[in-house]
Amino acid sequence: SIEVLELAGIKDYEIVEQELTAMDKIIGFLINPIVSGILIMVIVGGIYFELQTPGIGFPSIAAVLAALMYFAPLYLEGLADHWEIIIFIVGLILIIVEIFAIPGFGVAGITGIFLVVASLTLAMINNVGFDFRPVNLNNFIISFFIVIISIFVSIISSFYITKSLFSRNRLFGSLALETVESAEEGYIASDATYSRMVGRTGIAHSLLRPAG
């Protein structure tokens, strides 16, 4: 840069070195691809556990915080745009509607998954609005695979953790009743002596009120 100034004939100048602020360091840390992948895993894992146990709890709070930590730095850096955040929210809504309101899994669920993956991927690349000409294809592919791998690992890990925590002889296995009380083993709702009375004739020694 000094050589450029000298070639331009500028002699009266002062060089000021840029120093990163604490906020700049935090943003730089959060937009690191590895950290972004971890945040995506927390988002997907939180949604998975929340769907397993409906009601607003720790999983949903963790998913919301991870989503904020994912999109906010990218938005401040000018990578994520408004519409990318909007399609992420719309995608989540479509997935929830598909799971709880529409039988089976169809157009709404597939569209929701597509929008979520697209929003997470596009938020990491330097497109300007709907103009993707400045985007490097390699960066797009890398971002896409980060999102896909993070989602896949999160789903597998969440499923494994659920089975590990709540399966029999595990940490929380004793909280779930897994014993089956079948009739073949002698578990019945009424006294066995009453079943022998079916079809027999008896004399009533009290008033009968069949109407109850």
Side-chain angles (χ1 to χ4, degrees), residues 10 31 50 52 63 89 100 111 113 125 147 159 164 183 194 203 206 211-212:
I10 301 174
I31 63 176
E50 191 62 34
Q52 297 298 313
I89 298 173
F100 291 105
T111 304
I113 293 174
I125 61 178
V147 173
F159 181 77
S164 298
Y194 293 135
I203 299 174
S206 60

Side-chain angles (χ1 to χ4, degrees), residues 8 25 32-33 43 58 77-78 89-90 92 103 106 111 114-116 129 145 153 156 168 182 184 195 198 205-206:
K25 293 179 181 178
N32 183 285
I43 295 171
F58 176 75
E77 285 293 298
I89 298 173
V90 172
L92 287 182
T111 304
F114 174 78
L115 291 179
V116 168
F145 276 103
V153 172
I156 297 299
R168 197 171 184 179
S182 61
E184 291 77 8
S195 62
V198 177
H205 293 278
S206 60

Side-chain angles (χ1 to χ4, degrees), residues 15-60:
I15 298 178
V16 179
E17 294 184 4
Q18 180 186 7
E19 295 183 1
L20 296 177
T21 64
M23 182 59 67
D24 293 329
K25 293 179 181 178
I26 293 174
I27 292 176
F29 173 76
L30 292 176
I31 63 176
N32 183 285
I34 297 176
V35 178
S36 296
I38 294 174
L39 291 175
I40 293 172
M41 293 174 60
V42 176
I43 295 171
V44 176
I47 295 173
Y48 175 86
F49 281 109
E50 191 62 34
L51 294 177
Q52 297 298 313
T53 56
I56 298 178
F58 176 75
S60 60

Side-chain angles (χ1 to χ4, degrees), residues 128-176:
V128 181
F130 294 98
D131 183 8
F132 295 93
R133 288 177 296 178
V135 178
N136 184 288
L137 182 60
N138 290 333
N139 292 338
F140 175 80
I141 294 174
I142 292 172
S143 300
F144 176 75
F145 276 103
I146 289 175
V147 173
I148 293 298
I149 292 173
S150 299
I151 292 176
F152 179 77
V153 172
S154 180
I155 293 175
I156 297 299
S157 301
S158 299
F159 181 77
Y160 175 78
I161 291 172
T162 301
K163 299 293 287 186
S164 298
L165 291 180
F166 295 100
S167 61
R168 197 171 184 179
N169 298 326
R170 296 291 183 175
L171 182 59
F172 296 106
S174 59
L175 298 178

Side-chain angles (χ1 to χ4, degrees), residues 62-140:
V64 171
L65 290 177
L68 290 174
M69 294 173 66
Y70 179 83
F71 282 104
L74 296 173
Y75 180 81
L76 293 175
E77 285 293 298
L79 295 174
D81 207 344
H82 295 86
W83 65 274
E84 294 167 348
I85 300 174
I86 291 174
I87 65 173
F88 173 79
I89 298 173
V90 172
L92 287 182
I93 294 174
L94 288 175
I95 294 173
I96 294 172
V97 169
E98 180 71 36
I99 293 174
F100 291 105
I102 304 176
F105 199 82
V107 177
I110 295 174
T111 304
I113 293 174
F114 174 78
L115 291 179
V116 168
V117 172
S119 63
L120 293 173
T121 302
L122 296 177
M124 285 195 286
I125 61 178
N126 59 338
N127 58 295
V128 181
F130 294 98
D131 183 8
F132 295 93
R133 288 177 296 178
V135 178
N136 184 288
L137 182 60
N138 290 333
N139 292 338
F140 175 80

Side-chain angles (χ1 to χ4, degrees), residues 179-189:
T179 304
V180 178
E181 298 179 350
S182 61
E184 291 77 8
E185 296 179 356
Y187 293 98
I188 56 176

